[in-house]
Amino acid sequence: MKFFIDTANVEEIREAATMGVLDGVTTNPTLLSREAGKGFYREILKEICSIVPGPVSAEVVSLDAEGMVREGKELCKIADNIIIKVPCIREGVKAIGMFKKEGIQTNATLCFSPNQGLLVAKAGATFVSPFVGRIDDVGNPGMELVRDLVTIYNNYSMATQIIVSSVRHSQHVYEAAMMGADVVTIPFKVIEQLIRHPLTDVGIEKFLADWDKVEKD
Ligand code: E4P
């Protein structure tokens, strides 16, 4: 399973990259807005692309296919590893097909239903992003969408990779791995949660205390 980080914060990305487990980055307009005051968004994206060699998602804000493609082509000029995030709407489906013809990779974002996932995969999306946390937020089980997408893509040997998105806690990551999702995009604080276990801390404390009692030459 690939690990992406879900942030536009360069410090967090650098820190996560030191662990050696980072395969990519997802950004969106909200995440970039949190970096306001730190430079133009193109500069921020360029810096992110230089830290992580894998795919870095940058989102278009146009709502028509031609506008999305125009914007996407501009974003692609920032770095070779930029991929274009397109919303799961009718114009987005069109744009995904147009990007595919140009050899540009896409991430179909704001996916909330299996049928949206089916359509964007047929259009040729490289990735699809089911927003599991936001589905949980409205009282439905978000991970069921991931399970459905895994089944649908397996049924028809569809190449679109599933990025489990809107991840809120480490249980989402565990379930994504159990379901065989291709990618999970994780906020920095959840990456930190993944490695923590109180029994590991207690175990280290005991080993260190016992090591003090060992006779050393
Ligand atoms: C994914 O690509 C999105 O950036 C992200 O996961 C959205 O998550 P949120 O619901 O925490 O905003």
Side-chain angles (χ1 to χ4, degrees):
M1 185 164 74
K2 289 179 202 151
F3 272 24
F4 292 178
I5 186 167
D6 195 29
T7 184
N9 183 282
V10 168
E11 291 77 35
E12 286 182 350
I13 294 167
R14 278 194 201 287
E15 184 56 37
T18 61
M19 288 174 74
V21 294
L22 206 53
D23 301 298
V25 180
T26 49
T27 72
N28 64 37
T30 303
L31 294 172
L32 281 165
S33 76
R34 291 185 193 148
E35 305 310 307
K38 295 185 185 168
F40 294 120
Y41 78 94
R42 291 182 161 276
E43 289 162 6
I44 294 173
L45 287 171
K46 199 177 173 68
E47 192 170 356
I48 293 172
C49 289
S50 72
I51 302 168
V52 181
V56 174
S57 290
E59 188 157 345
V60 295
V61 291
S62 296
L63 296 176
D64 63 296
E66 285 72 23
M68 289 176 187
V69 171
R70 229 181 357 260
E71 254 189 82
K73 284 184 178 170
E74 281 304 310
L75 288 167
C76 282
K77 289 181 190 162
I78 295 173
D80 289 344
N81 51 336
I82 287 277
I83 69 161
I84 306 304
K85 240 181 175 183
V86 174
C88 285
I89 56 176
R90 193 168 60 178
E91 290 296 302
V93 174
K94 261 199 243 174
I96 287 165
M98 291 157 76
F99 279 124
K100 192 175 165 70
K101 279 195 194 119
E102 304 264 357
I104 294 173
Q105 296 201 341
T106 49
N107 174 356
T109 189
L110 292 166
C111 176
F112 292 98
S113 80
N115 286 335
Q116 286 180 318
L118 181 56
L119 265 182
V120 296
K122 272 192 78 75
T126 319
F127 297 97
V128 65
S129 290
F131 275 37
V132 299
R134 293 196 196 184
I135 298 175
D136 290 349
D137 290 345
V138 295
N140 292 316
M143 289 307 296
E144 274 185 17
L145 174 56
V146 175
R147 197 191 312 274
D148 287 348
L149 291 172
V150 169
T151 302
I152 291 168
Y153 292 175
N154 283 343
N155 284 349
Y156 299 103
S157 305
M158 288 172 139
T160 302
Q161 296 178 53
I162 300 166
I163 308 179
V164 178
S165 303
S166 185
V167 163
R168 303 271 196 260
H169 45 71
S170 53
Q171 185 69 14
H172 279 146
V173 179
Y174 164 71
E175 287 179 36
M178 292 301 287
M179 288 175 190
D182 306 280
V183 187
V184 66
T185 188
I186 321 174
F188 185 72
K189 75 169 196 314
V190 179
I191 295 181
E192 287 186 310
Q193 284 169 13
L194 294 182
I195 194 67
R196 276 203 217 117
H197 199 289
L199 291 180
T200 305
D201 297 339
V202 170
I204 289 174
E205 212 175 298
K206 171 95 174 88
F207 283 151
L208 290 182
D210 290 343
W211 183 244
D212 281 344
K213 299 174 206 154
V214 173
E215 287 186 49
K216 297 154 193 117
D217 48 12

